Amino acid sequence: MIPASFDYVRPASLAEAVQVLTQGGEEAKVLSGGQSLLPLLRLRLAYPSLLVDVGRLGELHGIRDEGGHLHIGATTTHDEVVRSPLVNAECPLLALATATVADPAVRHRGTLGGSLAHADPAGDLPAVAVALDMEFVIYSTSGERVVAARDFFLDYLETALGPGEILTGIRVPKLGPGWGYHYEKFHRTAQAWATVGVAAAVRVSGANGGTRRIEEARVALTNMGPTPIRATAVESAIQGTDLPDPHGPPGTDPVREAAARADENTSPPSDLHAAPDYRRHLAQVLTHRALLTAATTP
């Protein structure tokens, strides 16, 4: 379909971008890579009167080390995140999850900030942001403010971004040594949205011999509600438990028992792809896989 008519502006600076966006009011939208917004325009599910294109603003692009965290500019593409030595060294979970987004063509055009600001609960990256306690840097004519990931996603396709505000960057904390990571998802085809996804980060002790124990875990779920969900029940249940010996005699599996609580406090949607009960089952199975893989991945 053909989108409804709109005005288009490509500002030369961030200051100009927020000024134009503020003047446009609630009917103005920010355009970056366009991989989320353009399909909505073509289907006429969005009717902005103004598009403010920030895709070529250098101040919103790039990855840098800022000590305790990485700062990733909002217009940094998915492909750049996947290939970044800094991201792979300091936050492998983000690189792993980003590599599963859609297909190479989308990853070369789509941006990290655009995906997070779009806030689709079936998107892969919001759950990673919540699991890792990322922070979102937001700019407007009033200045800069920082919002924690847990407070950024408010509802389906709704975020803490207000009129005239632009997401300029994402702060990704460094968890340090001893952590393993994994992103596990179920989807119908390689390009499809996740039916359910699980982002897991696990800190294990005893990796060099002796009993291996999960000292801490962070787990967040994709497409189990209108926003990404932190699986706190799983985190509490698995903390301090010993990993089962894969070569030992059969017995209780604390990882599986913890993963069985993955669907607590969730509200999975019902659509053409899956019923809520099926998604609850998937959440438990995928959480078990994600935890075990993360616990055995350095």
Side-chain angles (χ1 to χ4, degrees), residues 180-248:
Y181 308 86
H182 190 61
Y183 184 71
E184 184 82 23
K185 75 173 178 179
F186 179 86
H187 51 167
R188 296 175 297 107
T189 65
Q191 294 80 21
W193 297 98
T195 305
V196 174
V198 180
V202 176
R203 182 167 61 86
V204 179
S205 63
N208 296 321
T211 302
R212 304 180 72 245
R213 175 168 296 176
I214 295 178
E215 301 293 349
E216 186 178 354
R218 299 185 180 190
V219 181
L221 308 175
T222 294
N223 214 8
M224 287 296 290
T227 64
I229 295 174
R230 187 78 174 256
T232 54
V234 175
E235 295 175 355
S236 299
I238 203 170
Q239 184 174 354
T241 62
D242 295 337
L243 285 168
D245 184 354
H247 306 294

Side-chain angles (χ1 to χ4, degrees), residues 62-64 70-74 76 81 87 94 112 168-172:
I63 303 170
R64 61 180 184 267
L70 300 183
H71 179 96
I72 304 179
T76 305
V81 170
V87 175
L94 178 58
L112 176 61
T168 61
I170 300 92
R171 295 175 181 172
V172 185

Side-chain angles (χ1 to χ4, degrees), residues 81-160:
V81 170
V82 172
R83 296 175 182 273
S84 166
L86 267 178
V87 175
N88 280 277
E90 302 293 351
C91 187
L93 178 57
L94 178 58
L96 286 170
T98 305
T100 72
V101 171
D103 54 36
V106 170
R107 291 194 293 271
H108 275 81
R109 290 290 301 172
T111 62
L112 176 61
S115 179
L116 293 170
H118 184 55
D120 192 320
D124 301 296
L125 303 183
V128 177
V130 170
L132 295 180
D133 292 325
M134 295 184 190
E135 293 181 332
F136 296 78
V137 183
I138 298 170
Y139 188 78
S140 69
T141 55
S142 300
E144 185 177 279
R145 67 188 182 105
V146 178
V147 177
R150 62 180 176 274
D151 300 320
F152 184 77
F153 304 101
L154 303 181
D155 205 340
Y156 180 77
L157 302 182
E158 182 180 343
T159 71

